[in-house]
Amino acid sequence: MLVIAVHGSAVPEAAATFRRLVAAVEAISGVHALVGHLDVQRPSLAEVVREHPYAVVVPLLLGDGFHRRVDIPAVLEGTGCVLTEGLSGERDVARALHGRLREAERRRGPYTRADAVVVAGAGSSRPGGNAGTEACAAQLSALLEYDDGAAPVPAVPAYLTSAGPTVDEALASFQGAGYRRIAVATHLLAPGRFTRALNASAAWTVSEPLADHPRLARLVLGRYESARGTRALRAARLAC
């Protein structure tokens, strides 16, 4: 069983986003997947793994903060489940973000592009918890540099809580430097209060969240298949 661990949100659009992710994973692989929530929504992750012990649990998290390192391992203790790494720092996350940014730019006009980008992450006070957003900003900057015919576009990380600079501070800094088409690249997974805050910001355009991007489905499936392979190898060695 594949269990996808997500934070959870009271916003109905979040559940729809995760349903699209699950549908994509199942369409690619035929593997049945379930979603377990850490907060707000049901079923909870604890409920799902209680019903499905020995599952492979993939944390759909873009940073290695408290949820990945503390909350989820505590829930899985004694269940026999295998916990994979999250998605922090994965290059395909940056590629998905790049695609979402281009979609957001096209909504403003077919031939118009941002001249600066704020990569907006949730933010964490835990050491290393913001490394995913920082890596994604650097990777996105490199992708933008290689776009055909595009001038260099600065991309900086910023946060919605618990860390700085804030998104508003990053936007203001770019505005003060003379940039006018400042995009927010949403380094978040699903709609919620953070995406609502971004949409109300002074950004020129704001990209959509990432969970239902096809690259995320392939990343989740890759984590699952790697964990299955490791478990099968371990079982074969014990049987020798």
Side-chain angles (χ1 to χ4, degrees):
M1 176 63 67
L2 165 59
V3 176
I4 303 172
V6 306
H7 184 276
S9 171
V11 177
E13 293 87 351
T17 300
F18 294 131
R19 283 196 297 270
R20 289 191 293 272
L21 169 64
V22 167
V25 168
E26 294 181 344
I28 293 169
S29 64
V31 173
H32 183 51
L34 296 172
V35 172
H37 304 88
L38 293 167
D39 197 11
V40 182
Q41 289 171 274
R42 301 283 298 276
S44 69
L45 178 61
E47 290 169 334
V48 173
V49 297
R50 189 162 54 243
E51 292 292 325
H52 301 280
Y54 306 101
V56 173
V57 178
V58 179
L60 198 73
L61 300 170
L62 298 177
D64 278 337
F66 192 83
H67 286 318
R68 168 64 185 86
R69 296 299 175 188
V70 179
D71 281 348
I72 297 177
V75 171
L76 300 189
E77 187 173 357
T79 66
C81 293
V82 173
L83 176 62
T84 76
E85 291 297 315
L87 309 182
S88 176
E90 281 287 346
R91 190 165 295 276
D92 269 350
V93 173
R95 293 188 179 109
L97 193 68
H98 180 261
R100 291 289 197 237
L101 174 62
R102 290 293 175 242
E103 292 168 1
E105 290 170 330
R106 286 193 290 271
R107 290 196 293 270
R108 295 303 306 261
Y111 307 109
T112 307
R113 289 189 174 177
D115 55 12
V117 180
V118 175
V119 179
S124 171
S125 59
R126 186 177 178 85
N130 296 316
T133 302
E134 293 166 2
C136 195
Q139 292 162 353
L140 178 63
S141 182
L143 290 169
L144 294 173
E145 183 178 347
Y146 287 107
D147 279 348
D148 291 340
V153 177
V156 300
Y159 305 97
L160 288 145
T161 187
S162 302
T166 67
V167 172
D168 287 342
E169 288 169 345
L171 289 169
S173 179
F174 274 138
Q175 289 166 346
Y179 294 97
R180 292 294 174 262
R181 296 189 306 278
I182 308 165
V184 165
T186 302
H187 191 241
L188 301 169
L189 289 162
R193 62 186 180 90
F194 284 159
T195 58
R196 287 175 174 173
L198 294 179
N199 288 326
S201 73
W204 171 71
T205 193
V206 178
S207 68
E208 295 296 318
L210 298 170
D212 55 355
H213 192 284
R215 288 188 182 273
L216 271 291
R218 290 193 287 271
L219 267 177
V220 167
L221 187 58
R223 290 282 194 266
Y224 170 78
E225 290 175 340
S226 178
R228 282 285 303 271
T230 300
R231 176 180 271 175
L233 179 61
R234 186 181 298 118
R237 286 173 175 169
L238 290 172
C240 291

